[in-house]
Amino acid sequence: MGDIVLKNNSMLNSFMNFYKEVSKSSSEEVKCNFVLNLPAMIKYVDPKLYGTYKVAFLQCASGDNSKLRLYWITVLFDIIELAGPTEINELLLHTLEDFIIEEKDASVLEAILSKIDQIYLLFYNAIEDEKEAASNSKSKKKKEKPPSFISVFQEFFERVSKLNQWRIKSELIQKLYQITVLNDLSGMIDSFAEFILDMIEDSSRQIRKEAADSLVKAIVRLNTIEKRSEIIQQVNERLCNAKKYQKREAYIFFCESALEYFSKLALNHFLLNNLLCLSSDKVLSIQMQLVEILPKIKLAIGKLDEVVAKRFKQAIKTLDELQNERINQMLIRSLNTIQLHRRNKQFSSQIEKKYRDNMLLESEMMLYEIGGGTLEELYKKEEKNRRKSQKVLISLNR
Amino acid sequence: LYDESVSELERFEKNITSDNLYQKVSVYNQLHRVFSDNKLSKVILPIVVKQLPSDGIEMQIHAGEGFIKAFEHLPKVDENIVEESFMLSVQILGQWNNDVINCWIRVFELVIKIIDWNSVKIKLEKLLTHLSHTSQPVQGRYAAARMISVLAKHKGSLIEGIIFNRAVHLSKDFEKIVRLTLAKECLEVVFVAAKNKVNKNILFEKILELIYDPDEEVKLATINVLILLIDHISETEKREKVAQIFTEISSNLNEDIIKLMSSNLAHIILKVLFR
């Protein structure tokens, strides 16, 4: 804050009186101005101003005008930051909770969504502080209850997911994921998985892909094996054998993402069998997607155990027997890639590590395998291998 | 009916001289075509210049839209066409109909951007002195205010002198519409354009006078100008005058003024009371 130029504060007092009148105004537009000016007033004029206008500010959250509520949520975190941690109290959290529960306007919901991870942290930290305070106090500990705000969030997510906009759904998935990784997930993972699965069943292709990817990442972060397996089983049940091909497609997305994040053991145990069964799916695009990820499967698993190896071969055979030109072309390409991986065994462990650590793109990894070089060189190499792969295919068929 | 044996020039000529409104309008819709062809423009433009000032309001607005379209779409316009268009635009702007002025001020702006300033400066000074004179009808003074704001926007300090003085003169016009136009469109750009300190001070005093205008709308527009000009006003003036004025305004009970002041309050306090 700069120095005040005037010898006395009388002019500043006049302005502050005016601001006081503004805070009490019945005009919605003036109230919007009150809210929008508050962060700058706190920052530049008086750091203690929040205390004076706290009640007026919090009342704006329940205003009838959606523009006012939009401005309120827009400035909220600036004000919290300026007002300091002592102002994050029950009154504020209670207002915020009501605000989230009652909001129905799409633009305000979107604004809440953009800050939902910050809001979540606010509640989460408050509860953690409460727990800490309780454990420090000598009084008898109360029985721990599940945090009530979780249900507020669940209800909010459901409301937002009904706003049928691709952009909002995409942001919703990202925010959900951010929230689940913010803490130990204990409170959120069940509802998160359930929610994501609902979204997978009910959304566009891109959303399904994003949702599946987020779910995999969230599962990896879970601490307990039981919980992980429970959710993966749920995914298997709801997606792999689903009637709708969109769900089965989502299953492939899920597995594709899992190939990057799950251990070999988990992949073998939970996913591979089901995934390879999709080679005999009745929808061509499902089979095509399976063919596309075959090299990734092979790369992630490395040496397959006998049962899975048999299953893998069987899947390739099934796909080849389709006698579909596009599938065949893709199959040759995929086998070609697998062949490339196999021929460079001396690098494989290194590559696999690098691949998993850095999540290299497949093409980059292939370049790495042939010892660096240009894409042109890679294509030449590929062409040479193409014929060899055809032979491999024939031998597999036998 | 469309006659294929008639050349394009003949067709344009026939249409522009026709008594039929639609045939004339069709030429104005194709004015960009006329401007891009020397042969066409040499014949058609003089006819337009000759007859448009005596045409009705509707036709003048159609023609104005044709000129705007032509100047906006053509990458380069012949110098003679620019000059003819300039002369026509100032003639039409002096014709005292607000709707026509609102349309032709855009033609005037497009022409002013590309015309040689020295070739039109004296003409404009004479015209604006004439139009802004108290004896002229209110529309003339309104047109003058709008023309000055266009000139200040595109010619900057080149307007200092006679044209600048006309802006100062118009600030005490007895008609609300002139003062309002000046406050809404002209004062800010003219103040920013002026480089001479004396001129700036003179205009600043006029702005402060307009803040106390008896008409609330003019007052509101001028307060807005003062807020917009905060960064262009010297520290001394901010300390000695502006702070006091804003303090006074903050006790005003007019709802629109409260809205304006409240939306800019933090900015005003920061700029006026702190350094």
Side-chain angles (χ1 to χ4, degrees), chain A residues 27-263:
Chain A
S27 153
E28 295 291 341
E29 195 179 331
V30 177
K31 268 189 191 166
C32 286
N33 292 337
F34 159 68
V35 167
L36 284 177
N37 272 279
L38 191 54
M41 294 292 278
I42 297 171
K43 190 169 182 183
Y44 298 113
V45 182
D46 183 2
K48 291 172 189 163
L49 215 59
Y50 179 70
T52 316
Y53 292 109
K54 184 163 48 185
V55 176
F57 175 70
L58 295 178
Q59 274 171 358
C60 290
S62 54
D64 293 334
N65 187 310
S66 62
K67 204 165 114 186
L68 177 63
R69 299 195 306 276
L70 181 67
Y71 290 158
W72 188 83
I73 188 70
T74 307
V75 302
L76 178 68
F77 282 90
D78 290 335
I79 286 175
I80 288 175
E81 199 185 333
L82 291 163
T86 50
E87 292 296 348
I88 306 170
N89 51 27
E90 219 168 289
L91 178 65
L92 179 101
L93 294 176
H94 186 68
T95 308
L96 194 52
E97 200 173 307
D98 288 347
F99 179 71
I100 296 170
I101 291 170
E102 282 161 28
E103 191 53 60
K104 292 197 171 56
D105 182 90
S107 58
V108 185
L109 284 173
E110 200 180 343
I112 298 173
L113 181 64
S114 71
K115 293 178 186 294
I116 200 73
D117 45 338
Q118 286 171 281
I119 298 174
Y120 182 87
L121 261 185
L122 214 60
F123 282 99
Y124 182 79
N125 290 340
I127 286 181
E128 288 297 302
D129 291 347
E130 208 175 289
K131 277 185 200 167
E132 204 181 310
S135 66
N136 288 342
S137 72
K138 287 176 184 174
S139 62
K140 251 189 174 180
K141 280 184 187 177
K142 287 177 187 173
K143 199 183 172 186
E144 208 170 284
K145 290 179 196 168
S148 65
F149 69 89
I150 299 285
S151 61
V152 175
F153 281 78
Q154 284 167 351
E155 211 267 318
F156 169 76
F157 290 138
E158 268 167 40
R159 222 172 323 137
V160 174
S161 69
K162 281 173 194 155
L163 300 174
N164 209 11
Q165 285 179 40
W166 181 86
R167 183 174 43 83
I168 294 180
K169 283 190 176 178
S170 178
E171 191 173 1
L172 176 61
I173 291 168
Q174 283 170 24
K175 291 290 178 185
L176 271 166
Y177 173 66
Q178 281 173 15
I179 287 176
T180 54
V181 300
L182 280 174
N183 51 61
D184 65 0
L185 303 166
S186 55
M188 286 295 279
I189 189 67
D190 281 335
S191 50
F192 172 72
E194 183 71 26
F195 193 78
I196 286 285
L197 282 168
D198 285 345
M199 279 192 92
I200 285 175
E201 291 173 4
D202 178 41
S203 293
S204 72
R205 191 172 190 269
Q206 184 60 30
I207 294 294
R208 286 198 293 277
K209 205 171 167 68
E210 285 179 24
D213 193 54
S214 292
L215 187 55
V216 167
K217 287 181 194 165
I219 291 169
V220 172
R221 286 178 171 269
L222 275 172
N223 292 330
T224 60
I225 295 170
E226 289 79 14
K227 201 75 195 164
R228 280 188 202 177
S229 53
E230 190 186 309
I231 293 169
I232 299 170
Q233 291 293 8
Q234 212 181 330
V235 171
N236 279 335
E237 280 163 25
R238 283 178 67 169
L239 300 182
C240 184
N241 300 317
K243 278 184 184 173
K244 282 186 181 176
Y245 93 91
Q246 288 93 333
K247 291 185 193 177
R248 302 197 300 280
E249 185 189 48
Y251 187 73
I252 295 190
F253 291 149
F254 179 86
C255 292
E256 189 179 358
S257 193
L259 290 171
E260 287 185 36
Y261 295 98
F262 284 12
S263 67

Side-chain angles (χ1 to χ4, degrees), chain A residues 3 5-6 11 14 18 33 37, chain B residues 239 244 250 259 262 266 273:
Chain A
D3 299 328
V5 168
L6 300 162
M11 284 183 184
S14 303
F18 175 68
N33 292 337
N37 272 279
Chain B
R239 265 200 309 275
Q244 184 60 42
S250 65
K259 280 178 191 169
S262 62
L273 296 190

Side-chain angles (χ1 to χ4, degrees), chain B residues 82-111:
Chain B
V82 176
E83 271 175 38
E84 293 266 23
S85 304
F86 169 76
M87 292 309 291
L88 183 63
S89 70
V90 292
Q91 198 178 349
I92 302 277
L93 284 169
Q95 281 201 329
W96 312 330
N97 175 282
N98 282 7
D99 294 334
V100 175
I101 292 169
N102 292 342
C103 176
W104 275 83
I105 196 74
R106 290 175 62 204
V107 181
F108 178 73
E109 184 167 8
L110 290 164
V111 174

Side-chain angles (χ1 to χ4, degrees), chain B residues 214-229:
Chain B
D215 185 90
E216 292 288 332
E217 229 182 317
V218 177
K219 193 184 182 98
L220 184 71
T222 317
I223 294 169
N224 195 34
V225 169
L226 198 58
I227 294 168
L228 292 171
L229 286 177

